[in-house]
Amino acid sequence: MSVAHPIIGITGASGAGTSTALRVLLDITRDLNVEAAVIEGDAFHAYDREQLRIAIERARIRGENFSLFGPAGNLLERLEACLAEYGNAGTGKIRRYLHTQAEGDAVNQAPGTFTAWERLPKNSDLLIYEGLHGGHVGDDVDIQKHMDLLIGVTPVINLEWIQKIRRDTDERGHRPEDVMTTILRRMPDYVTYITPQFSRTDINFQRVPLVDTSNPFVVRDIPGPDESLVVAHFRPNGRIQVDVEALQAELPGAFVSHPHTLVIPGALISDAMLRILTPAVKALVTRIPKDPGVAT
């Protein structure tokens, strides 16, 4: 972890809602007049779209399990090196994965490809990582140790599937049956590599639907904010310290279900994240030395 160049991680699977947490964090940094650099976890996948299709087919023929949830599908060593470099010197090399045709057109590349590696913008005050592996701990790679703050975003599993199917079909042009196949293929790696990370986070935001999502492969409508609750669980002795009962009083309809757990109406999730995360980000920022040359 770093004092001069802190790193915040948002970890969660595709379609989980990590983008909401990212937007809130960027709002917080703007309000604090702090310059934030952002790393997208997709940039550290090992394969572009066509290479991934070939790798998946080879694994299928061999009877092997393979997905982007697991270490084999990612450049986790390179990600850790980037985080370590940022923590030490406030820099590092990143790239972008182009999901959609619009993203590809903007840089004259095909969707499903990567941009060239380039340096992070200079003079950022902190780094935000959003992706699958912010809390990953493996035999040779430890991503979690570089995080000064780690946030988990994880809907109940049926809702996560609904959101992924909807997004991948509407925004990325995939067929529903192909998204279903992907969900099933990734399940062993989800259990092995994704879910353990949520025991390492400082806080988890878990969205719970209040409408019937019993068959996520049929339901196409994502429950709206008024049709959801969000369970915010704070890790005891973690780096986010709040008065849960005081926070409850600030959020109409919220209630405490456990000494470390606050249940929040879905419509208030952005407000709740803002109230919860602002003090934690401010604490990181106040530690940053005024002289950028001060060692971490």
Side-chain angles (χ1 to χ4, degrees), residues 5-288:
H5 309 288
I7 301 172
I8 301 173
I10 308 169
T11 192
S14 175
T18 56
S19 57
T20 299
L22 176 60
R23 286 194 299 269
V24 169
L25 285 173
L26 291 176
D27 286 343
I28 292 171
T29 57
R30 281 192 291 268
D31 289 344
L32 295 176
N33 196 29
V34 170
E35 189 67 30
V38 177
I39 286 182
E40 299 173 355
D42 292 350
F44 289 86
H45 290 334
Y47 303 97
D48 65 23
R49 189 169 294 169
E50 179 58 22
Q51 292 169 339
L52 179 61
R53 184 190 64 78
I54 295 171
I56 291 172
E57 180 61 17
R58 286 176 177 169
R60 185 192 66 80
I61 293 172
R62 295 170 181 167
E64 299 172 347
N65 182 62
F66 175 84
S67 81
L68 294 178
F69 284 169
N74 295 274
L75 304 176
L76 295 183
E77 294 86 354
R78 186 157 190 167
L79 171 59
E80 182 174 21
C82 177
L83 297 174
E85 184 177 359
Y86 188 87
N88 288 327
T91 187
K93 276 192 172 183
I94 63 168
R95 61 181 178 178
R96 289 179 55 224
Y97 179 76
L98 305 171
H99 287 283
T100 66
Q101 186 67 50
E103 290 175 342
D105 290 344
V107 293
N108 296 316
Q109 286 186 217
T113 62
F114 297 100
T115 61
W117 291 99
E118 60 183 356
R119 284 283 171 188
L120 282 163
K122 294 181 179 179
N123 302 320
S124 62
D125 297 300
L126 59 80
L127 178 67
I128 302 174
Y129 165 90
E130 179 204 8
L132 293 170
H133 299 103
H136 176 81
V137 176
D139 294 336
D140 302 314
V141 177
D142 189 343
I143 303 299
Q144 180 249 339
K145 74 177 182 181
H146 298 281
M147 299 298 172
D148 295 277
L149 187 67
L150 186 57
I151 302 159
V153 184
T154 170
V156 294
I157 194 69
N158 279 17
L159 179 55
E160 184 169 322
W161 291 343
I162 292 169
Q163 292 182 169
K164 177 169 177 56
I165 293 168
R166 178 68 176 270
R167 188 194 64 177
D168 284 5
T169 54
D170 289 359
E171 299 180 16
R172 299 179 179 177
H174 299 311
R175 298 183 304 167
E177 55 268 31
D178 292 336
V179 184
M180 290 167 58
T181 299
T182 297
I183 290 171
L184 295 173
R185 174 176 50 79
R186 301 188 312 179
M187 188 52 60
D189 283 343
Y190 187 91
V191 172
T192 303
Y193 300 109
I194 302 301
T195 55
Q197 296 183 72
F198 299 116
S199 295
R200 305 176 186 129
T201 50
D202 294 292
I203 185 171
N204 288 323
F205 295 98
Q206 185 174 36
R207 188 176 173 194
V208 180
L210 298 177
V211 294
D212 184 20
T213 60
S214 302
N215 186 348
F217 302 112
V218 172
V219 176
R220 288 291 181 266
D221 293 330
I222 298 172
D226 292 332
E227 300 172 316
S228 306
L229 295 174
V230 176
V231 178
H233 179 72
F234 304 85
R235 180 164 60 88
N237 303 316
R239 291 170 288 193
I240 295 180
Q241 296 296 315
V242 299
D243 184 330
V244 176
E245 292 185 353
L247 183 60
Q248 172 195 0
E250 298 173 0
L251 299 168
F255 62 92
V256 176
S257 63
H258 180 275
H260 303 291
T261 304
L262 182 66
V263 181
I264 304 160
L268 299 182
I269 181 56
S270 293
D271 185 29
M273 284 184 172
L274 189 68
R275 293 172 184 269
I276 292 167
L277 299 177
T278 295
V281 175
K282 189 178 292 187
L284 292 178
V285 172
T286 56
R287 291 169 24 189
I288 299 175

